[in-house]
């Protein structure tokens, strides 16, 4: 099918899915999860083809994002089932006002309509996005990157079987067949078909959507995330947080990319950091983290001199930019100049420094003595997520069910006239 035909199918499907009751949507989710598990072997076979074609073309870290296993597919199915227990966001009365003339005005949540998602090499996004759309009553149009397309096709085929069994249109979840830039451009300009476009990928994809989209677009994902180690930090706590934020899964948007260290503890802490992230990991056979150091940090430990763009780069790899700063004020100023507005953390035992940091850092998620890796719909109790919004309208941070709704006013009366 052409991209336009798929969009027309989704527009037709949205009138049914938008009006579906909670019981029908939950049944669809249950059946979608069951079909995912039932077709595990077919999905894994498709993923093996994608992996084979991607080898040598993308990094090992990105290959891990592309890889599916039985455990990961089971996790995808479980993520769908977890949405069943969450409240239906559509139809919720956000606010009710009774006017002096007896008229009752209800601000009521409703589905957005058709949500299109452009994403790259993460097959799990296929099931997460589809499930969130179905639970919130939206039709979903998925545009996978070519490196993950076979995997996405197998996942969508399985989920569509569940939709049809539940009595919902197959077109409630669709996958774009064209993986060239043309289809992305068509989605960006699909006025009258797409009610919200969500790009999930690198800075280039997101910027292209911002520059070209004629439909409403959410900026998501790019994560130049900072951890600031204050002069009053517990250094062992800081090491554990940074190790987790940088190395637990460096290819995701909530991974740390920049470490800021207060000058008063830099002489003690930076050798500890190098030992933990580079020397100890190399000795254990793990990938050591390359430390890209500002001149002040390089005077204390060995590493790679930081280039002019290293504090503005989402590495998505075992690389960490490190800078020594004079104060919490200096750290906040650096974050303001270089952050992508995703997630930032302070490690400190000082209440005044904490308060200064959380009040002045203007990012979607601000952490105190916690790893940035928690910026995630599941970790926030929202179920799986559609993405991490780094803008302020209409959604910010992990986008769960409520963020996939808009609202309308329903006014009830008994003949009132103005």
């Amino acid at each position: 099918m052409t991209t336009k035909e798929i969009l027309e199918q989704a527009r037709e499907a949205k009138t049914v899915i938008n009006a579906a009751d909670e019981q029908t949507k939950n049944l669809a989710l249950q059946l979608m999860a069951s079909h995912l598990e039932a077709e595990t072997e077919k999905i894994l076979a498709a993923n093996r083809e994608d992996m084979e074609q991607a080898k040598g073309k993308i990094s090992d870290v990105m290959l891990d994002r592309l890889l599916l296993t039985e455990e990961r597919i089971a996790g995808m199915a479980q993520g769908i089932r977890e949405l069943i227990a969450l409240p239906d966001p559509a139809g919720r009365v956000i606010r009710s006002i009774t006017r002096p003339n007896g008229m009752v005005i209800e601000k009521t949540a409703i589905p957005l309509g058709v949500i299109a998602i452009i994403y790259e090499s993460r097959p799990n996004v296929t099931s997460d996005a589809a499930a969130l759309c179905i639970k919130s009553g939206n039709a979903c149009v998925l545009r996978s990157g070519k490196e993950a397309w076979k995997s996405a096709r197998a996942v969508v085929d399985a989920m569509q079987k569940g939709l049809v069994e539940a009595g919902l249109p197959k077109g409630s979840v669709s996958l774009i067949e064209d993986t060239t830039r043309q289809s992305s451009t068509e989605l960006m300009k699909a006025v009258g078909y797409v009610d919200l476009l969500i790009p999930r990928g690198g800075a280039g994809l997101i910027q292209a959507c911002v520059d070209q989209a004629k439909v409403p677009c959410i900026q998501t994902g790019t994560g130049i995330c900072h951890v600031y180690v204050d002069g009053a930090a517990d250094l062992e706590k800081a090491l554990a947080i940074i190790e987790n934020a940088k190395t637990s899964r460096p290819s995701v948007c909530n991974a740390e990319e920049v470490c800021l260290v207060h000058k008063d503890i830099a002489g003690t802490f930076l050798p500890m950091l190098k030992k933990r992230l580079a020397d100890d990991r190399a000795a254990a056979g793990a990938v050591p983290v390359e430390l890209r150091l500002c001149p002040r940090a390089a005077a204390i430990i060995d590493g790679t001199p930081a280039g002019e763009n290293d504090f503005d780069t989402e590495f998505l790899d075992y690389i960490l930019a490190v800078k020594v700063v004079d104060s919490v004020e200096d750290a906040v100023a650096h974050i303001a100049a270089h952050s992508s507005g995703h997630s930032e953390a302070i490690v400190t035992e000082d209440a005044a420094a904490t308060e200064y940091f959380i009040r002045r850092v203007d990012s979607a998620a601000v952490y105190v003595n916690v790893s940035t890796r928690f910026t995630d719909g599941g970790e926030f109790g929202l179920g799986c997520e559609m993405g991490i919004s780094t803008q302020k309208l209409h959604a910010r941070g992990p986008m769960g069910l409520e963020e996939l709704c808009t609202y309308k006013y329903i006014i009830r009366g008994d003949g009132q006239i103005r």
Side-chain angles (χ1 to χ4, degrees):
M1 294 176 69
T2 67
T3 299
K4 185 175 181 182
E5 287 170 340
I6 291 169
L7 288 170
E8 288 173 344
Q9 186 181 72
R11 187 168 63 177
E12 290 177 9
K14 85 171 182 179
T15 61
V16 178
I17 186 68
N18 287 179
D21 59 30
E22 183 174 15
Q23 183 178 0
T24 301
K25 293 186 289 186
N26 285 343
L27 174 61
L29 292 173
Q30 185 62 56
L31 292 168
M32 288 161 64
S34 296
H35 278 284
L36 264 186
E37 291 175 329
E39 301 200 12
T40 293
E41 286 306 316
K42 187 180 293 186
I43 295 168
L44 289 177
N47 184 249
R48 284 192 289 271
E49 290 187 50
D50 283 335
M51 290 289 292
E52 192 61 37
Q53 291 180 1
K55 283 177 183 174
K57 298 177 183 176
I58 60 178
S59 70
D60 289 345
V61 172
M62 298 305 284
L63 278 171
D64 179 65
R65 291 178 74 161
L66 175 59
L67 176 67
L68 285 177
T69 63
E70 287 187 18
E71 292 75 20
R72 288 185 178 183
I73 293 171
M76 290 158 61
Q78 182 58 27
I80 294 174
R81 292 191 178 105
E82 287 173 0
L83 288 177
I84 295 172
L86 296 179
D88 187 346
R92 178 175 58 92
V93 177
I94 300 168
R95 186 170 64 246
S96 180
I97 302 169
T98 301
R99 300 296 295 150
N101 65 358
M103 189 169 65
V104 178
I105 303 172
E106 295 177 337
K107 184 179 182 181
T108 305
I110 61 167
L112 282 159
V114 174
I115 297 176
I117 305 97
I118 303 174
Y119 58 106
E120 295 173 347
S121 59
R122 293 178 67 183
N124 65 295
V125 172
T126 305
S127 61
D128 287 355
L132 283 162
C133 284
I134 295 304
K135 178 70 179 190
S136 56
N138 291 287
C140 177
V141 177
L142 301 156
R143 195 282 189 187
S144 167
K146 61 183 178 182
E147 70 285 347
W149 191 86
K150 291 184 176 68
S151 304
R153 177 76 271 167
V155 170
V156 169
D157 285 347
M159 293 190 298
Q160 284 179 333
K161 291 176 183 176
L163 286 169
V164 172
E165 283 184 26
L168 293 174
K170 181 180 177 181
S172 299
V173 174
S174 304
L175 179 69
I176 297 295
E177 297 178 12
D178 175 13
T179 58
T180 69
R181 289 186 180 179
Q182 175 62 28
S183 64
S184 293
T185 301
E186 285 185 67
L187 291 179
M188 294 177 203
K189 298 180 178 179
V191 176
Y193 293 93
V194 171
D195 295 289
L196 180 68
L197 174 64
I198 302 175
R200 288 191 60 168
L205 168 62
I206 293 166
Q207 192 58 50
C209 289
V210 171
D211 291 342
Q212 300 177 39
K214 295 185 181 297
V215 299
C217 178
I218 292 281
Q219 298 177 46
T220 69
T222 303
I224 302 176
C225 303
H226 298 72
V227 175
Y228 164 56
V229 185
D230 186 50
D234 178 320
L235 301 190
E236 288 298 329
K237 187 184 294 181
L239 285 174
I241 287 170
I242 292 169
E243 182 178 39
N244 177 262
K246 179 70 263 183
T247 69
S248 62
R249 201 168 181 193
S251 64
V252 293
C253 62
N254 57 22
E256 178 192 4
E257 304 291 15
V258 179
C259 179
L260 304 174
V261 181
H262 193 288
K263 65 177 182 179
D264 290 351
I265 58 156
T268 302
F269 182 72
L270 288 177
M272 296 169 67
L273 183 71
K274 178 178 181 296
K275 180 177 183 298
R276 184 74 162 257
L277 295 190
D279 303 340
D280 289 354
R281 287 179 60 82
V287 179
V289 176
E290 178 187 348
L291 302 177
R292 297 194 179 174
L293 309 173
C294 78
R296 295 168 77 181
I300 300 171
I301 57 172
D302 294 330
T304 304
E308 68 174 301
N309 296 320
D310 281 338
F311 291 98
D312 298 290
T313 298
E314 186 183 29
F315 298 113
L316 302 174
D317 206 341
Y318 291 98
I319 301 169
L320 182 65
V322 180
K323 181 179 181 180
V324 176
V325 295
D326 292 330
S327 62
V328 65
E329 292 84 0
D330 193 13
V332 168
H334 177 95
I335 291 169
H338 299 276
S339 170
S340 60
H342 194 295
S343 301
E344 328 296 346
I346 181 173
V347 185
T348 187
E349 303 300 314
D350 182 273
T354 296
E355 195 65 20
Y356 186 91
F357 191 88
I358 62 177
R359 286 185 178 274
R360 288 169 174 79
V361 170
D362 187 20
S363 292
V366 181
Y367 292 90
V368 179
N369 295 325
V370 184
S371 168
T372 58
R373 286 281 285 112
F374 284 96
T375 307
D376 174 86
E379 296 294 339
F380 278 22
L382 305 175
C384 47
E385 76 191 29
M386 187 63 79
I388 310 294
S389 171
T390 55
Q391 64 183 52
K392 298 180 182 180
L393 296 175
H394 75 285
R396 196 177 200 196
M399 294 181 64
L401 296 170
E402 291 185 10
E403 287 74 29
L404 301 184
C405 289
T406 182
Y407 56 84
K408 66 183 176 185
Y409 289 96
I410 298 173
I411 302 93
R412 304 178 190 276
D414 187 28
Q416 290 90 337
I417 60 173
R418 182 175 177 181

